[in-house]
Coordinates of all heavy atoms in Angstrom, one line a residue:
M555 N -27.2 -58.6 0.5 CA -27.3 -57.4 1.3 C -26.0 -56.6 1.3 O -26.0 -55.4 1.2 CB -27.8 -57.8 2.7 CG -28.1 -56.6 3.5 SD -29.7 -56.0 3.1 CE -30.0 -55.0 4.4
P556 N -24.9 -57.2 1.4 CA -23.6 -56.5 1.5 C -23.4 -55.7 0.2 O -22.8 -54.6 0.1 CB -22.5 -57.5 1.7 CG -23.2 -58.7 2.2 CD -24.6 -58.7 1.7
R557 N -23.8 -56.3 -1.0 CA -23.6 -55.6 -2.2 C -24.4 -54.4 -2.3 O -24.0 -53.3 -2.8 CB -24.0 -56.6 -3.4 CG -23.6 -56.1 -4.7 CD -23.9 -57.2 -5.7 NE -23.5 -56.7 -7.0 CZ -23.6 -57.3 -8.1 NH1 -24.1 -58.5 -8.1 NH2 -23.3 -56.7 -9.2
R558 N -25.7 -54.4 -1.9 CA -26.5 -53.2 -1.9 C -26.0 -52.2 -0.9 O -26.0 -51.0 -1.2 CB -28.0 -53.6 -1.5 CG -28.9 -52.5 -1.6 CD -30.3 -52.9 -1.4 NE -31.1 -51.8 -1.5 CZ -32.4 -51.8 -1.4 NH1 -33.0 -52.9 -1.1 NH2 -33.1 -50.7 -1.5
F559 N -25.5 -52.6 0.2 CA -24.9 -51.6 1.2 C -23.7 -50.9 0.6 O -23.5 -49.7 0.7 CB -24.5 -52.4 2.5 CG -23.8 -51.5 3.5 CD1 -24.6 -50.5 4.2 CD2 -22.5 -51.6 3.7 CE1 -24.0 -49.7 5.1 CE2 -21.9 -50.7 4.6 CZ -22.6 -49.8 5.3
S560 N -22.8 -51.6 -0.1 CA -21.6 -51.0 -0.7 C -22.0 -50.1 -1.9 O -21.4 -49.1 -2.1 CB -20.6 -52.1 -1.2 OG -21.2 -52.9 -2.2
F561 N -23.1 -50.4 -2.6 CA -23.5 -49.5 -3.7 C -24.1 -48.2 -3.1 O -23.8 -47.2 -3.6 CB -24.6 -50.3 -4.5 CG -25.1 -49.4 -5.6 CD1 -24.3 -49.2 -6.7 CD2 -26.4 -48.9 -5.6 CE1 -24.8 -48.4 -7.8 CE2 -26.9 -48.1 -6.6 CZ -26.1 -47.9 -7.7
S562 N -24.8 -48.3 -2.0 CA -25.4 -47.1 -1.4 C -24.3 -46.3 -0.8 O -24.3 -45.1 -0.9 CB -26.4 -47.5 -0.3 OG -27.5 -48.2 -0.8
F563 N -23.3 -47.0 -0.2 CA -22.2 -46.3 0.4 C -21.4 -45.5 -0.7 O -20.9 -44.4 -0.5 CB -21.3 -47.3 1.2 CG -20.2 -46.6 1.9 CD1 -20.4 -45.9 3.1 CD2 -18.9 -46.8 1.5 CE1 -19.4 -45.3 3.8 CE2 -17.8 -46.2 2.2 CZ -18.1 -45.4 3.3
S564 N -21.2 -46.2 -1.8 CA -20.5 -45.5 -2.9 C -21.2 -44.3 -3.5 O -20.6 -43.3 -3.8 CB -20.3 -46.5 -4.1 OG -19.5 -47.6 -3.7
I565 N -22.6 -44.4 -3.6 CA -23.4 -43.3 -4.1 C -23.3 -42.1 -3.1 O -23.1 -41.0 -3.5 CB -24.8 -43.7 -4.3 CG1 -25.0 -44.7 -5.4 CG2 -25.7 -42.5 -4.5 CD1 -24.6 -44.2 -6.7
V566 N -23.4 -42.4 -1.8 CA -23.3 -41.4 -0.8 C -21.9 -40.7 -0.8 O -21.8 -39.5 -0.7 CB -23.6 -41.9 0.6 CG1 -23.3 -40.9 1.7 CG2 -25.1 -42.3 0.7
G567 N -20.9 -41.5 -0.9 CA -19.5 -41.0 -1.0 C -19.3 -40.1 -2.2 O -18.7 -39.1 -2.1
L568 N -19.9 -40.5 -3.3 CA -19.7 -39.8 -4.6 C -20.5 -38.4 -4.4 O -20.0 -37.4 -4.8 CB -20.3 -40.6 -5.7 CG -20.2 -39.9 -7.1 CD1 -18.8 -39.6 -7.5 CD2 -20.9 -40.8 -8.2
L569 N -21.7 -38.4 -3.8 CA -22.4 -37.2 -3.6 C -21.6 -36.2 -2.7 O -21.6 -35.0 -2.9 CB -23.8 -37.5 -3.1 CG -24.8 -38.1 -4.1 CD1 -26.1 -38.5 -3.4 CD2 -25.0 -37.2 -5.2
I570 N -21.0 -36.8 -1.7 CA -20.2 -36.0 -0.7 C -19.1 -35.3 -1.5 O -18.8 -34.1 -1.3 CB -19.8 -36.8 0.5 CG1 -21.0 -37.1 1.4 CG2 -18.7 -36.0 1.3 CD1 -20.7 -38.0 2.5
L571 N -18.4 -36.1 -2.3 CA -17.2 -35.6 -3.1 C -17.7 -34.5 -4.0 O -17.0 -33.4 -4.2 CB -16.5 -36.7 -3.8 CG -15.7 -37.6 -3.0 CD1 -15.1 -38.7 -3.9 CD2 -14.5 -36.8 -2.4
I572 N -18.8 -34.7 -4.7 CA -19.3 -33.6 -5.6 C -19.7 -32.4 -4.8 O -19.4 -31.3 -5.2 CB -20.6 -34.2 -6.4 CG1 -20.1 -35.2 -7.4 CG2 -21.3 -33.0 -7.1 CD1 -21.3 -36.0 -8.0
L573 N -20.3 -32.5 -3.7 CA -20.7 -31.4 -2.8 C -19.5 -30.6 -2.3 O -19.4 -29.4 -2.4 CB -21.6 -31.8 -1.6 CG -22.1 -30.8 -0.7 CD1 -23.0 -29.8 -1.5 CD2 -22.8 -31.4 0.5
L574 N -18.4 -31.4 -1.9 CA -17.2 -30.7 -1.5 C -16.5 -30.0 -2.6 O -16.0 -28.9 -2.5 CB -16.3 -31.7 -0.9 CG -16.7 -32.3 0.5 CD1 -15.7 -33.3 1.0 CD2 -16.7 -31.1 1.5
G575 N -16.6 -30.5 -3.8 CA -16.0 -29.9 -5.0 C -16.7 -28.6 -5.3 O -16.1 -27.6 -5.7
I576 N -18.1 -28.6 -5.2 CA -18.8 -27.4 -5.5 C -18.5 -26.3 -4.5 O -18.4 -25.1 -4.8 CB -20.3 -27.7 -5.5 CG1 -20.7 -28.6 -6.8 CG2 -21.2 -26.5 -5.5 CD1 -22.1 -29.1 -6.8
I577 N -18.4 -26.7 -3.2 CA -18.2 -25.7 -2.2 C -16.8 -25.1 -2.3 O -16.6 -23.9 -2.3 CB -18.3 -26.4 -0.8 CG1 -19.8 -26.7 -0.5 CG2 -17.7 -25.5 0.3 CD1 -20.0 -27.5 0.8
S578 N -15.8 -25.9 -2.6 CA -14.4 -25.4 -2.8 C -14.3 -24.5 -4.0 O -13.6 -23.5 -4.1 CB -13.4 -26.5 -2.8 OG -13.5 -27.3 -3.9
A579 N -15.0 -24.9 -5.1 CA -15.0 -24.1 -6.3 C -15.7 -22.7 -6.1 O -15.2 -21.7 -6.6 CB -15.7 -24.8 -7.4
S580 N -16.7 -22.7 -5.4 CA -17.4 -21.4 -5.1 C -16.6 -20.5 -4.2 O -16.6 -19.3 -4.3 CB -18.8 -21.6 -4.6 OG -18.8 -22.2 -3.3
A581 N -15.9 -21.2 -3.2 CA -15.0 -20.4 -2.3 C -13.8 -19.8 -3.0 O -13.4 -18.7 -2.7 CB -14.6 -21.3 -1.1
A582 N -13.3 -20.5 -4.0 CA -12.2 -20.0 -4.8 C -12.5 -18.8 -5.6 O -11.6 -18.0 -5.9 CB -11.6 -21.2 -5.6
T583 N -13.8 -18.7 -6.1 CA -14.1 -17.6 -6.9 C -14.6 -16.4 -6.1 O -15.0 -15.4 -6.6 CB -15.2 -18.0 -7.9 OG1 -16.4 -18.4 -7.1 CG2 -14.8 -19.1 -8.8
N584 N -14.6 -16.5 -4.8 CA -15.1 -15.5 -3.9 C -13.9 -14.5 -3.6 O -13.2 -14.7 -2.5 CB -15.6 -16.1 -2.6 CG -17.0 -15.6 -2.2 OD1 -17.5 -14.7 -2.9 ND2 -17.5 -16.1 -1.2
T585 N -13.6 -13.6 -4.4 CA -12.4 -12.7 -4.2 C -12.9 -11.3 -3.8 O -14.0 -10.9 -4.2 CB -11.6 -12.6 -5.4 OG1 -12.3 -12.1 -6.5 CG2 -11.0 -14.0 -5.8
V586 N -12.2 -10.6 -3.0 CA -12.5 -9.3 -2.6 C -11.6 -8.3 -3.5 O -10.4 -8.5 -3.5 CB -12.2 -9.1 -1.1 CG1 -12.5 -7.6 -0.7 CG2 -13.0 -10.0 -0.3
P587 N -12.2 -7.4 -4.2 CA -11.4 -6.5 -5.0 C -10.5 -5.6 -4.2 O -10.9 -5.2 -3.1 CB -12.4 -5.8 -5.9 CG -13.6 -5.8 -5.1 CD -13.6 -7.2 -4.3
A588 N -9.4 -5.2 -4.7 CA -8.5 -4.3 -4.0 C -9.1 -2.9 -4.0 O -9.7 -2.5 -5.0 CB -7.1 -4.3 -4.6
T589 N -9.0 -2.2 -2.9 CA -9.5 -0.8 -2.8 C -8.3 0.0 -2.3 O -7.3 -0.4 -1.8 CB -10.7 -0.7 -1.8 OG1 -10.2 -1.0 -0.5 CG2 -11.8 -1.7 -2.2
G590 N -8.5 1.3 -2.4 CA -7.6 2.3 -1.9 C -8.0 2.9 -0.6 O -7.6 4.0 -0.3
A591 N -8.9 2.2 0.1 CA -9.5 2.7 1.3 C -8.4 3.0 2.4 O -8.5 4.0 3.2 CB -10.5 1.8 1.9
S592 N -7.3 2.2 2.5 CA -6.3 2.4 3.5 C -5.2 3.3 3.0 O -4.2 3.5 3.7 CB -5.8 1.1 4.0 OG -5.2 0.4 3.0
C593 N -5.2 3.7 1.7 CA -4.1 4.4 1.2 C -4.5 5.9 1.1 O -5.6 6.3 0.8 CB -3.8 4.0 -0.3 SG -3.3 2.3 -0.3
S594 N -3.5 6.7 1.5 CA -3.7 8.2 1.3 C -2.5 8.8 0.8 O -1.4 8.4 1.1 CB -4.1 8.8 2.7 OG -3.0 8.7 3.6
T595 N -2.6 9.8 -0.1 CA -1.5 10.5 -0.7 C -1.6 11.9 -0.4 O -2.6 12.6 -0.4 CB -1.6 10.3 -2.2 OG1 -1.6 8.9 -2.5 CG2 -0.4 10.9 -2.9
R596 N -0.4 12.4 0.0 CA -0.3 13.9 0.4 C 1.0 14.3 -0.1 O 2.0 13.7 0.2 CB -0.5 14.0 1.9 CG -0.5 15.5 2.3 CD -0.8 15.6 3.8 NE 0.2 15.7 4.7 CZ 1.1 16.6 4.9 NH1 1.1 17.6 4.1 NH2 2.0 16.5 5.8
S597 N 1.1 15.5 -0.7 CA 2.3 16.0 -1.2 C 3.1 16.6 0.0 O 2.5 17.2 0.9 CB 2.1 17.0 -2.3 OG 1.2 18.0 -1.9
I598 N 4.4 16.6 -0.1 CA 5.2 17.1 1.0 C 5.6 18.6 0.6 O 6.1 18.8 -0.5 CB 6.5 16.3 1.2 CG1 6.1 14.9 1.6 CG2 7.4 16.9 2.2 CD1 7.3 13.9 1.7
R599 N 5.4 19.5 1.5 CA 5.7 20.9 1.3 C 6.9 21.3 2.0 O 7.4 20.5 2.9 CB 4.5 21.7 1.7 CG 3.2 21.4 0.9 CD 2.0 22.2 1.5 NE 1.9 22.0 2.9 CZ 0.9 21.3 3.5 NH1 0.1 20.7 2.8 NH2 0.9 21.2 4.8
A600 N 7.5 22.4 1.7 CA 8.7 22.9 2.3 C 8.5 23.0 3.8 O 9.4 22.7 4.7 CB 9.2 24.1 1.7
N601 N 7.3 23.5 4.3 CA 7.1 23.7 5.7 C 7.0 22.4 6.5 O 7.2 22.4 7.7 CB 5.8 24.5 5.9 CG 6.0 26.0 5.5 OD1 7.0 26.6 5.9 ND2 5.0 26.6 4.9
D602 N 6.7 21.3 5.8 CA 6.7 20.0 6.4 C 8.1 19.5 6.8 O 8.3 18.7 7.7 CB 6.1 19.0 5.5 CG 4.6 19.3 5.3 OD1 4.0 19.9 6.1 OD2 4.1 18.9 4.2
L603 N 9.1 20.0 6.1 CA 10.5 19.6 6.2 C 11.4 20.5 7.0 O 12.5 20.2 7.3 CB 11.1 19.3 4.9 CG 10.4 18.3 4.0 CD1 11.1 18.2 2.6 CD2 10.5 16.9 4.6
K604 N 10.9 21.7 7.3 CA 11.8 22.7 7.9 C 12.2 22.3 9.3 O 11.4 21.7 10.1 CB 11.2 24.1 7.8 CG 9.9 24.3 8.7 CD 9.4 25.7 8.5 CE 8.1 25.8 9.3 NZ 7.5 27.1 9.0
P605 N 13.4 22.7 9.8 CA 13.8 22.4 11.1 C 13.1 23.4 12.1 O 12.5 24.4 11.7 CB 15.3 22.7 11.1 CG 15.5 23.6 9.9 CD 14.4 23.3 8.9
D606 N 13.2 23.0 13.4 CA 12.5 23.8 14.4 C 13.0 25.3 14.5 O 12.2 26.2 14.8 CB 12.7 23.2 15.8 CG 12.0 21.8 15.9 OD1 11.0 21.6 15.2 OD2 12.4 21.0 16.7
E607 N 14.2 25.5 14.1 CA 14.8 26.8 14.1 C 14.1 27.7 13.1 O 14.2 29.0 13.2 CB 16.3 26.8 13.8 CG 17.1 26.1 14.9 CD 17.1 24.6 14.8 OE1 16.7 24.1 13.7 OE2 17.5 23.9 15.7
C608 N 13.5 27.2 12.1 CA 12.8 28.0 11.1 C 11.3 28.0 11.3 O 10.5 28.3 10.4 CB 13.1 27.4 9.7 SG 14.8 27.4 9.3
A609 N 10.8 27.8 12.5 CA 9.4 27.7 12.8 C 8.6 29.0 12.4 O 7.5 28.9 12.0 CB 9.1 27.3 14.2
S610 N 9.3 30.1 12.6 CA 8.6 31.4 12.3 C 8.6 31.7 10.8 O 7.9 32.7 10.4 CB 9.3 32.5 13.1 OG 10.7 32.7 12.6
L611 N 9.3 31.0 10.0 CA 9.3 31.3 8.5 C 8.2 30.5 7.8 O 7.9 29.4 8.2 CB 10.7 30.9 8.0 CG 11.9 31.7 8.5 CD1 13.1 31.1 7.9 CD2 11.7 33.2 8.2
N612 N 7.7 31.1 6.8 CA 6.8 30.4 5.9 C 7.5 30.1 4.6 O 7.7 31.0 3.8 CB 5.5 31.3 5.6 CG 4.5 30.5 4.7 OD1 4.5 29.3 4.7 ND2 3.7 31.3 4.0
L613 N 8.0 28.9 4.5 CA 8.8 28.5 3.3 C 7.9 28.3 2.1 O 6.9 27.7 2.2 CB 9.7 27.3 3.6 CG 10.6 27.4 4.8 CD1 11.3 26.1 5.1 CD2 11.6 28.6 4.6
I614 N 8.4 28.7 0.9 CA 7.5 28.6 -0.3 C 8.0 27.5 -1.2 O 7.2 27.1 -2.0 CB 7.5 30.0 -1.0 CG1 8.9 30.4 -1.4 CG2 6.8 31.0 -0.2 CD1 8.9 31.7 -2.3
N615 N 9.2 27.1 -1.2 CA 9.6 26.0 -2.1 C 10.8 25.3 -1.5 O 11.5 25.7 -0.5 CB 9.9 26.6 -3.5 CG 11.0 27.6 -3.5 OD1 11.5 28.0 -2.5 ND2 11.5 28.0 -4.7
I616 N 11.2 24.2 -2.2 CA 12.3 23.4 -1.8 C 13.3 23.5 -2.9 O 13.0 23.3 -4.1 CB 11.9 21.9 -1.6 CG1 10.9 21.8 -0.5 CG2 13.1 21.0 -1.3 CD1 10.3 20.4 -0.4
V617 N 14.6 23.8 -2.6 CA 15.7 23.9 -3.5 C 16.7 22.8 -3.3 O 17.1 22.6 -2.1 CB 16.3 25.3 -3.4 CG1 17.5 25.4 -4.4 CG2 15.3 26.4 -3.7
T618 N 17.0 22.0 -4.3 CA 17.9 20.9 -4.1 C 19.3 21.2 -4.7 O 20.2 20.4 -4.7 CB 17.4 19.7 -4.8 OG1 17.1 19.9 -6.2 CG2 16.1 19.2 -4.1
T619 N 19.6 22.5 -5.1 CA 20.9 22.9 -5.5 C 21.5 23.7 -4.3 O 20.9 24.0 -3.3 CB 20.9 23.7 -6.8 OG1 20.1 24.9 -6.5 CG2 20.2 22.9 -7.9
D620 N 22.8 24.1 -4.5 CA 23.4 24.9 -3.4 C 23.1 26.4 -3.5 O 23.6 27.1 -2.6 CB 24.9 24.6 -3.4 CG 25.6 25.0 -4.7 OD1 24.9 25.2 -5.7 OD2 26.8 25.1 -4.7
I621 N 22.3 26.8 -4.4 CA 22.0 28.2 -4.6 C 20.5 28.4 -4.4 O 19.7 27.8 -5.2 CB 22.4 28.8 -5.9 CG1 24.0 28.7 -6.0 CG2 22.0 30.3 -6.0 CD1 24.5 29.1 -7.4
G622 N 20.0 29.2 -3.5 CA 18.6 29.4 -3.2 C 18.0 30.4 -4.2 O 18.5 30.6 -5.3
T623 N 16.9 30.9 -3.7 CA 16.1 31.9 -4.6 C 16.0 33.2 -3.7 O 16.5 33.3 -2.6 CB 14.7 31.4 -4.9 OG1 14.0 31.2 -3.7 CG2 14.8 30.1 -5.7
D624 N 15.3 34.2 -4.2 CA 15.1 35.4 -3.5 C 13.9 35.3 -2.5 O 13.6 36.2 -1.8 CB 14.9 36.6 -4.4 CG 13.8 36.4 -5.4 OD1 13.2 35.4 -5.4 OD2 13.5 37.4 -6.1
G625 N 13.2 34.2 -2.5 CA 12.1 34.0 -1.6 C 12.5 33.1 -0.4 O 13.7 32.7 -0.3
N626 N 11.6 32.8 0.4 CA 11.9 31.9 1.6 C 11.9 30.4 1.1 O 10.9 29.8 0.8 CB 10.8 32.0 2.7 CG 10.9 33.3 3.4 OD1 12.0 34.0 3.3 ND2 9.9 33.7 4.1
S627 N 13.1 29.9 0.9 CA 13.3 28.6 0.3 C 14.0 27.7 1.3 O 14.8 28.1 2.1 CB 14.2 28.6 -0.9 OG 13.6 29.4 -1.9
L628 N 13.6 26.4 1.3 CA 14.3 25.4 2.1 C 15.4 24.8 1.2 O 15.1 24.2 0.1 CB 13.4 24.3 2.5 CG 14.0 23.1 3.3 CD1 14.6 23.6 4.6 CD2 13.0 22.1 3.6
I629 N 16.6 25.1 1.5 CA 17.7 24.6 0.6 C 18.3 23.3 1.2 O 18.7 23.2 2.3 CB 18.9 25.6 0.6 CG1 18.3 27.0 0.1 CG2 20.0 25.2 -0.3 CD1 19.3 28.1 0.2
L630 N 18.2 22.2 0.4 CA 18.7 20.9 0.8 C 20.0 20.7 0.1 O 20.1 20.6 -1.1 CB 17.7 19.8 0.4 CG 16.3 20.0 1.0 CD1 15.4 18.9 0.4 CD2 16.4 19.9 2.5
G631 N 21.1 20.6 0.9 CA 22.4 20.3 0.3 C 22.7 18.8 0.3 O 21.8 18.0 0.6
D632 N 23.9 18.4 -0.1 CA 24.3 17.0 -0.1 C 25.7 17.0 0.4 O 26.3 17.9 0.9 CB 24.2 16.4 -1.5 CG 25.0 17.2 -2.6 OD1 26.0 17.8 -2.2 OD2 24.6 17.1 -3.8
V633 N 26.3 15.8 0.4 CA 27.6 15.6 1.0 C 28.7 16.3 0.2 O 29.8 16.5 0.7 CB 28.0 14.1 1.1 CG1 27.1 13.4 2.0 CG2 28.0 13.4 -0.3
T634 N 28.5 16.7 -1.0 CA 29.5 17.4 -1.8 C 29.5 18.9 -1.7 O 30.4 19.6 -2.1 CB 29.4 17.0 -3.3 OG1 28.2 17.5 -3.8 CG2 29.6 15.5 -3.5
T635 N 28.4 19.5 -1.2 CA 28.2 20.9 -1.1 C 28.8 21.4 0.2 O 28.5 21.0 1.3 CB 26.7 21.3 -1.1 OG1 26.2 20.7 -2.3 CG2 26.5 22.8 -1.1
D636 N 29.7 22.4 0.1 CA 30.3 23.0 1.3 C 29.7 24.3 1.7 O 29.7 24.7 2.8 CB 31.8 23.2 1.1 CG 32.6 21.9 1.0 OD1 32.2 20.9 1.6 OD2 33.7 21.9 0.3
T637 N 29.1 25.0 0.7 CA 28.6 26.3 0.9 C 27.2 26.4 0.3 O 27.0 26.1 -0.9 CB 29.5 27.4 0.3 OG1 30.8 27.3 0.8 CG2 28.9 28.8 0.6
L638 N 26.2 26.9 1.1 CA 24.9 27.1 0.6 C 24.7 28.6 0.5 O 25.0 29.3 1.4 CB 23.8 26.5 1.5 CG 23.9 25.0 1.7 CD1 22.9 24.6 2.8 CD2 23.7 24.2 0.5
Q639 N 24.1 29.1 -0.6 CA 23.9 30.5 -0.8 C 22.4 30.7 -0.9 O 21.6 30.2 -1.7 CB 24.5 31.0 -2.2 CG 26.0 30.8 -2.2 CD 26.5 31.1 -3.6 OE1 25.9 32.0 -4.3 NE2 27.7 30.6 -3.9
G640 N 21.9 31.6 0.1 CA 20.5 31.8 0.2 C 20.0 32.9 -0.8 O 18.8 33.1 -0.9
L641 N 20.9 33.7 -1.4 CA 20.5 34.8 -2.2 C 19.7 35.8 -1.3 O 20.0 36.1 -0.3 CB 19.9 34.4 -3.5 CG 20.8 33.6 -4.4 CD1 20.1 33.3 -5.7 CD2 22.1 34.3 -4.7
G642 N 18.5 36.2 -1.7 CA 17.8 37.2 -1.0 C 16.7 36.6 0.0 O 16.0 37.3 0.7
G643 N 16.6 35.3 0.0 CA 15.6 34.6 0.7 C 15.9 34.4 2.2 O 16.9 34.7 2.7

């Protein structure tokens, strides 16, 4: 009797291990593809960056040099620029 019991126990244990292997293998292949649902892209315009003092102006472009244009431009200087020239804008 003990020999038959150990054989049955071994078969049941083997079936449990096989079942656990199948479950873990199917869970490992269950992947969710990446989506762009939480990502949004929007370009930054000159009016988005203007200071409060320029609220009444409609800026048309961003200039990154020290010389502007004849239109309403947002001129961005750097640490080396001492003088900004707006020209006609």
Side-chain angles (χ1 to χ4, degrees):
M555 188 78 164
R557 186 173 182 184
R558 185 173 181 182
F559 177 74
S560 65
F561 180 72
S562 298
F563 186 72
S564 298
I565 294 295
V566 170
L568 182 61
L569 289 174
I570 289 173
L571 285 175
I572 290 172
L573 183 63
L574 288 175
I576 290 171
I577 291 171
S578 67
S580 67
T583 60
N584 231 355
T585 59
V586 177
T589 65
S592 64
C593 299
S594 63
T595 304
R596 181 170 94 68
S597 53
I598 297 175
R599 299 176 306 255
N601 285 319
D602 297 330
L603 300 175
K604 68 182 175 184
D606 293 336
E607 295 80 15
C608 298
S610 63
L611 298 176
N612 183 25
L613 302 178
I614 57 172
N615 61 353
I616 299 173
V617 177
T618 56
T619 61
D620 58 346
I621 300 175
T623 63
D624 58 353
N626 289 344
S627 302
L628 176 63
I629 304 172
L630 301 176
D632 58 26
V633 295
T634 61
T635 306
D636 292 331
T637 305
L638 300 176
Q639 299 176 26
L641 297 179

